[in-house]
Amino acid sequence: MKTDPFTPGLRDVVDLRSDTVTRPTPEMYEAMLAAPVGDDVLGDDPTVLELEKLAARMLGKEAALFAPSGTMANQVALATHCAPGDAILIEEEAHILYYEVGASGVIAGVVSWTLPSQRGAMDPENVERHILKRNLHTPGTKLICIENTHNRAGGTIIPQASMVAYREIAQRHGVLVHLDGARIFNAAVAQGISVEQIARNADSVSFCLSKGLGSPVGSMLCGSAEFIDRARIWRKRFGGGMRQSGILAACGIVSLTKMVDRLADDHARAKRLGESLGKLQGLSVAMETVQTNMVLVDTEQAAEGVVSALGKLGVWCLPVGARQIRLVLHADVDDAKVDRAIKAFQAVSRSA
Ligand code: TLP
């Protein structure tokens, strides 16, 4: 059986564009081959059911739903919790706002009330101040959205004290909390706590199997059994009901049972990479933001030019601002590739 998932010639590329780029592990290929499957829309794919049970148990929720993407899991959550015209409170650079092409307005029809943050963490007092009671004039706040770790802040962790504060505020005002926990396992591993300790502060949690956990496709939405029953209808409405999706869920089970602890390696490599790059001419790295598997590199030169020069040296990354580049560590980037990335940055910074 052929299990090399790399396009010929591209195995040696140092791909730091995202942790979404990981190829399936040999164990995932074996799991796919061996997976019993059924029809998940009809509710009888045993591998999907097993994955959903496992995810719910790990997150400390009653139930879970397998979704094709993190975007769909988030948007299904919004549509399930909210009615059109409801307000959500959300951090101003959240993925739900920045990278989901306006879906919250188009699909759930919610009004997004945005708040500033410090490294992704909104000030709880400010959150409380902005909860609106619905009246003739204003939309009512239905949901507080949190992102942990926070992507655009550089993979930063939302402090547990803030997570607890958001939950308490929500309970006081009768609103709900949705956590975009695409990288909740990075947050847990970096803090040495369980995902359940983070997830208990939210009514619903989405997380991705296809990022640091290495699956080719898939995300989970977790919450109460009643919430997941309603979310399943929304997933169907989105066209997200899949059939023999046990093939994909089999990889998700490998992700949750075998790929969690290794996230610590990505975090250590991110620190090493950030420290080395911060010393180079024309580059700087705010190391206090390097908390998990991402490094935001500030460049004196236009980021686009630096990214294209690195690309010619076989190091791929993405600009996230006019003078900022994001590097993401993951299972397909080992120590040797980190060394190659550092060398490529050295070469580019010398020639600038
Ligand atoms: N993030 C991707 C891009 O969309 C930016 C990346 O490369 O980081 N929540 C968060 C916090 C995310 O970072 C992402 C993906 C998602 C949701 C959406 O997941 P997918 O890509 O599966 O829809």
Side-chain angles (χ1 to χ4, degrees), residues 65 67 69-82 88 90 94-110 112 143 145 178 180 204 206 221 227 230-231 234-235 238:
L65 183 72
S69 68
T71 300
M72 192 188 289
N74 280 334
Q75 294 301 328
V76 163
L78 296 190
T80 308
H81 285 307
C82 302
I88 63 169
I90 185 162
H95 191 280
I96 286 176
L97 274 183
Y98 221 98
Y99 292 123
E100 300 186 12
V101 234
S104 339
V106 174
I107 303 167
V110 294
S112 293
L143 191 66
C145 292
H178 172 67
D180 176 351
S204 58
S206 60
L221 178 62
F227 168 79
R230 289 188 292 123
W234 269 104
R235 185 188 66 174
F238 274 69

Side-chain angles (χ1 to χ4, degrees), residues 58-61 81 122 127 143-148 157-172 175-181 184 187 191 193-206 222-223:
M58 289 175 84
L59 275 278
K61 301 293 181 201
H81 285 307
M122 297 177 283
V127 170
L143 191 66
I144 301 171
C145 292
I146 318 292
E147 187 174 310
N148 192 9
I157 296 164
I158 307 302
Q160 275 295 92
S162 304
M163 294 296 301
V164 171
Y166 302 139
R167 171 170 51 92
E168 288 172 354
I169 291 165
Q171 281 168 348
R172 247 194 323 275
V175 306
L176 300 167
V177 176
H178 172 67
L179 170 60
D180 176 351
I184 191 176
Q191 294 175 94
I193 60 178
S194 67
V195 281
E196 188 277 329
Q197 281 169 277
I198 303 174
R200 68 168 70 141
N201 298 302
D203 297 280
S204 58
V205 183
S206 60
C222 308

Side-chain angles (χ1 to χ4, degrees), residues 17-20 68-74 94-96 99-100 147-152 180-183 206 208 210-211 218-219 294 318 326 328:
R17 290 173 302 169
S18 182
D19 45 8
T20 58
S69 68
T71 300
M72 192 188 289
N74 280 334
H95 191 280
I96 286 176
Y99 292 123
E100 300 186 12
E147 187 174 310
N148 192 9
T149 63
H150 194 285
N151 183 341
R152 284 193 55 85
D180 176 351
R183 298 183 178 85
S206 60
C208 295
S210 65
K211 298 199 164 64
S219 288
M294 293 187 192
L318 292 173
R326 183 185 76 158
V328 189

Side-chain angles (χ1 to χ4, degrees), residues 27-68:
E27 205 168 351
M28 287 179 185
Y29 278 101
E30 277 163 30
M32 284 191 260
L33 262 183
V37 293
D39 187 319
D40 183 52
V41 174
L42 300 179
D44 62 16
D45 186 297
T47 311
V48 173
L49 293 174
E50 187 187 332
L51 171 65
E52 290 179 341
K53 229 164 115 184
L54 176 62
R57 185 157 51 78
M58 289 175 84
L59 275 278
K61 301 293 181 201
E62 285 174 0
L65 183 72
F66 185 40

